[in-house]
Amino acid sequence: GDSVTQMEGPVTLSEEAFLTINCTYTATGYPSLFWYVQYPGEGLQLLLKATKADDKGSNKGFEATYRKETTSFHLEKGSVQVSDSAVYFCALKDSGGGADGLTFGKGTHLIIQP
Amino acid sequence: NAGVTQTPKFRVLKTGQSMTLLCAQDMNHEYMYWYRQDPGMGLRLIHYSVGEGTTAKGEVPDGYNVSRLKKQNFLLGLESAAPSQTSVYFCASSIQGAGGFQTQYFGPGTRLLVL
């Protein structure tokens, strides 16, 4: 079956540091890939997405590139802020167009210190 | 637009009690989902629905029932709550996107504690 593996936290960084959160996946088909963010006490929000190989998703200074050859979708940001503190989930939706849900990783808790 | 809303926000149950969680969306989405979130487990799909009057099982459906009587509402029922159902429950909705992928929009969650 499909699965998503991401680095487990917490990941603690200082403000303005460079961020990388690793995500690799296993899928039977050709998946679409997503990063969701969950701020404290809130639901998940879509951060960015990519639907085919070499696509780059970007939003709010975050970027991730769909690497089919390494089955990866690592999240990066050049300079993090305290407001980026949250839990980040990597997820996939396998090809086929069916309505069954996303497959999520376990989440990475990011803590940014001033 | 309110987006996806969930009722209640928090609930405490005793083992064996029943309850219904309500999810409502005002985006006219066809698809709706119920997930549970447990520490160190990410989100796991419980049940989903592709339209009014239809439901299907997800990854962890045991102990739960669902109904989609109206397009905008998706109810999750626990007939006899167990401590293992202590979790945070998230509802989501989506519309089929171009190329087959779906962007899911999530509600704020319901925290359930079963004693």
Side-chain angles (χ1 to χ4, degrees), chain A residues 8 32 34 36 38 41-46 49 51 87 89 93-94 96-107, chain B residues 31 33 35 37-38 40-45 48-50 88 90 96 98-109:
Chain A
E8 296 190 30
S32 298
F34 306 84
Y36 277 83
Q38 184 181 30
E42 298 183 10
L44 279 72
Q45 303 174 24
L46 179 66
K49 62 188 178 188
T51 59
V87 180
F89 292 92
K93 176 67 178 75
D94 213 336
D100 52 317
L102 297 167
T103 299
F104 285 89
K106 294 183 178 182
Chain B
Y31 304 154
Y33 311 83
Y35 292 89
Q37 182 183 29
D38 301 295
M41 297 290 291
L43 275 76
R44 294 180 291 169
L45 183 66
Y48 64 98
S49 168
V50 300
V88 181
F90 287 100
Q96 186 80 15
F101 69 87
Q102 302 161 3
T103 297
Q104 294 189 9
Y105 296 87
F106 284 79

Side-chain angles (χ1 to χ4, degrees), chain A residues 5 50-51 59-60 74 76 84 99 101 103:
Chain A
T5 302
T51 59
N59 186 25
K60 298 182 180 179
H74 304 322
E76 296 182 337
D84 294 327
T103 299

Side-chain angles (χ1 to χ4, degrees), chain B residues 53-103:
Chain B
T54 71
T55 62
K57 294 181 180 180
E59 180 185 356
V60 288
D62 294 342
Y64 305 95
N65 56 76
V66 288
S67 64
R68 184 97 180 269
L69 299 179
K70 294 182 179 180
K71 184 178 182 178
Q72 64 267 33
N73 294 338
F74 195 29
L75 278 64
L76 178 71
L78 288 72
E79 290 187 349
S80 179
S84 61
Q85 294 178 304
T86 293
S87 189
V88 181
Y89 292 86
F90 287 100
C91 177
S93 70
S94 72
I95 188 169
Q96 186 80 15
F101 69 87
Q102 302 161 3
T103 297

